[in-house]
Amino acid sequence: MLTFSQIFLLATAALSASAAPLEEQKGHSFTVHQVRNPKHVKNGALALAKAYRKFGAPLPEYLTNALNVTYANVKRANTGSAVTTPEDYDVEYLTPVSIGTPAQTLNLDFDTGSADLWVFSTELSSRYQSGHSVYNPSQSSTSKKLSGSTWDISYGDGSGASGDVYTDVVNIGGVSFASQAVEAASTISTQFTEDTDNDGLVGLAFSSINTVSPRSQKTFFDNVKSSLSQPLFAANLNHNAPGSYDFGFADSSKYTGSITYTSVSTSQGFWQFTASGYQVGSTSYSTKVSGIADTGTTLLLLPDAVVKNYYSKVSGSQNSNTYGGYVFPCSATLPTFTYLVGSKSIVIPADYLNYSPVEDGSSTCYGGLQSSNGIGINIYGDIALKAAYVVFNGGSTPQLGFATKA
């Protein structure tokens, strides 16, 4: 029986064989579907710590202590029965991407909060490759080393990854770019290697924050957008189920009504927008809240005042140093949270905001909305983006579009 990866490779090869070079193709649109990461375990403190690390912010003491509690609980539980360990860089849903000739398929995280396409590679020592699909540039006839170029992603706690840069064919959804910069990891922190089903990421932020030196490289989207039917992609992320990304078109079967667009500030290299207000249940607040639309961050991270307004409506909630954020009884009734984009109300259902029990079997749950204090930026992560069909328009005047999900 063929494995998923084999089926994907065969499909990609068939598409590639019949396709003309990208430079000659016009009017493309395609959809790629996520696959579930079977190793994923939800843990609120780890999800929050990931955001701190990603944006270079030092972990506060309370969050470090909460992580220590998490690891201690896992260690105590691991006394003879199999235990699935929460991981610092665990990603719940991944997307297959093929690289090179013949195609090598890796499961990558699509991340609108970064601009690097980096992968596990054969340049890593064998112990760091274990459990991962890795990119082997020597086995690709189209791979070329980008002489003198390196990349380095460093996080606030000293973790990170770095390595060399190659150009090679990258194929996503049947559309390929012949000379995409592929950042091959040669050194990597253990936090990355523990998540054995995640082989790297595809950055979909603006190319201005790509980390390749001495000359930054373009993202896959920036390289292919001139060949697409429209210079956009859309995220259709789902709650507790795999979602999809549409490139070159907005799929009208996935949303109802019209798409409401808002302007984007690209000054920091992110898809940054401003919500014109928010609601907690039926209580409205006129405070504007700017932040970035980031598919690579799990939680919704907003200013303290917004977070306090929300949890004031949740019976038994508290900001817990033990668990690293706001928690509440799992049986509590939560209000919805709505953010306003122009005239469009994006309603996050209450069950999205109950992220997970703080540990297996616990009656205490961790909130999907947490404070952005200490990170330096507000983040509309997956908790918020799953509530809408979200269009990332990378045209001459970038915009974000939000529509009600079908």
Side-chain angles (χ1 to χ4, degrees):
M1 182 176 178
L2 291 175
T3 66
F4 177 86
S5 293
Q6 289 170 325
I7 293 170
F8 182 82
L9 278 168
L10 288 171
T12 299
L15 285 163
S16 298
S18 61
L22 180 67
E23 289 75 16
E24 298 175 14
Q25 301 172 353
K26 296 293 180 184
H28 284 293
S29 59
F30 62 95
T31 298
V32 289
H33 297 275
Q34 295 177 316
V35 294
R36 185 183 293 274
N37 180 355
K39 304 287 178 60
H40 176 76
V41 178
K42 288 184 176 181
N43 182 276
L46 287 171
L48 182 56
K50 176 184 174 182
Y52 271 84
R53 288 170 171 145
K54 177 177 180 179
F55 293 97
L59 295 183
E61 184 178 0
Y62 79 88
L63 189 52
T64 300
N65 292 338
L67 295 178
N68 290 336
V69 169
T70 294
Y71 291 127
N73 288 341
V74 169
K75 186 175 181 180
R76 282 198 301 271
N78 194 10
T79 56
S81 59
V83 174
T84 304
T85 306
E87 298 153 355
D88 285 359
Y89 290 88
D90 197 17
V91 177
E92 187 168 9
Y93 299 105
L94 302 164
T95 306
V97 173
S98 67
I99 303 173
T101 308
Q104 303 171 37
T105 301
L106 285 71
N107 285 331
L108 304 181
D109 178 22
F110 278 30
D111 180 10
T112 61
S114 66
D116 292 82
L117 194 165
W118 75 263
V119 294
F120 279 73
S121 80
T122 51
E123 296 186 358
L124 290 164
S125 66
S126 57
R127 70 189 183 100
Y128 289 129
Q129 296 179 38
S130 179
H132 292 271
S133 296
V134 297
Y135 171 57
N136 186 344
S138 68
Q139 294 299 308
S140 171
S141 63
T142 47
S143 132
K144 296 178 182 178
K145 193 166 188 177
L146 202 56
S147 180
S149 292
T150 59
W151 63 282
D152 187 343
I153 299 175
S154 299
Y155 294 92
D157 63 347
S159 64
S162 60
D164 300 321
V165 183
Y166 294 82
T167 60
D168 208 340
V169 177
V170 170
N171 186 301
I172 299 177
V175 168
S176 62
F177 189 75
S179 56
Q180 175 63 45
V182 178
E183 301 165 34
S186 58
T187 61
I188 201 163
S189 299
T190 55
Q191 287 96 331
F192 290 96
T193 62
E194 290 168 347
D195 185 5
T196 53
D197 274 42
N198 182 8
D199 306 319
L201 64 80
V202 177
L204 294 170
F206 293 93
S207 296
S208 60
I209 59 171
N210 177 267
T211 70
V212 173
S213 177
R215 182 180 178 184
S216 62
Q217 300 294 307
K218 289 184 177 181
T219 65
F220 176 82
F221 173 62
D222 275 351
N223 279 327
V224 304
K225 68 182 180 182
S226 64
S227 75
L228 299 176
S229 299
Q230 301 177 71
L232 61 81
F233 64 93
N236 185 44
L237 307 182
N238 294 321
H239 181 59
N240 292 336
S244 59
Y245 287 86
D246 300 318
F247 283 79
F249 75 117
D251 188 341
S252 59
S253 70
K254 295 174 182 174
Y255 66 90
T256 61
S258 60
I259 300 172
T260 298
Y261 286 91
T262 188
S263 60
V264 166
S265 170
T266 63
S267 61
Q268 297 184 70
F270 301 119
W271 294 90
Q272 186 168 355
F273 72 102
T274 299
S276 55
Y278 67 96
Q279 295 175 3
V280 176
S282 59
T283 304
S284 297
Y285 299 86
S286 58
T287 306
K288 294 181 179 181
V289 185
S290 65
I292 67 172
D294 181 10
T295 61
T297 294
T298 300
L299 303 174
L300 171 59
L301 303 174
L302 297 179
D304 276 343
V306 178
V307 177
K308 288 176 181 177
N309 285 337
Y310 181 81
Y311 287 107
S312 70
K313 306 292 187 183
V314 179
S315 178
S317 65
Q318 61 173 309
N319 193 2
S320 168
N321 285 338
T322 301
Y323 296 116
Y326 278 89
V327 298
F328 45 82
C330 294
S331 59
T333 300
L334 303 183
T336 58
F337 183 90
T338 302
Y339 58 103
L340 306 178
V341 180
S343 60
K344 179 77 70 178
S345 296
I346 307 301
V347 181
I348 305 174
D351 56 337
Y352 291 23
L353 292 152
N354 185 337
Y355 179 61
S356 71
V358 293
E359 57 190 54
D360 280 349
S362 177
S363 60
T364 299
C365 281
Y366 194 88
L369 169 63
Q370 298 291 337
S371 173
S372 60
N373 185 40
I375 297 177
I377 194 167
N378 301 318
I379 305 171
Y380 292 86
D382 291 347
I383 295 289
L385 301 180
K386 288 177 180 180
Y389 183 81
V390 185
V391 178
F392 297 75
N393 189 318
S396 56
T397 303
Q399 292 181 305
L400 277 170
F402 293 82
T404 303
K405 296 188 75 140

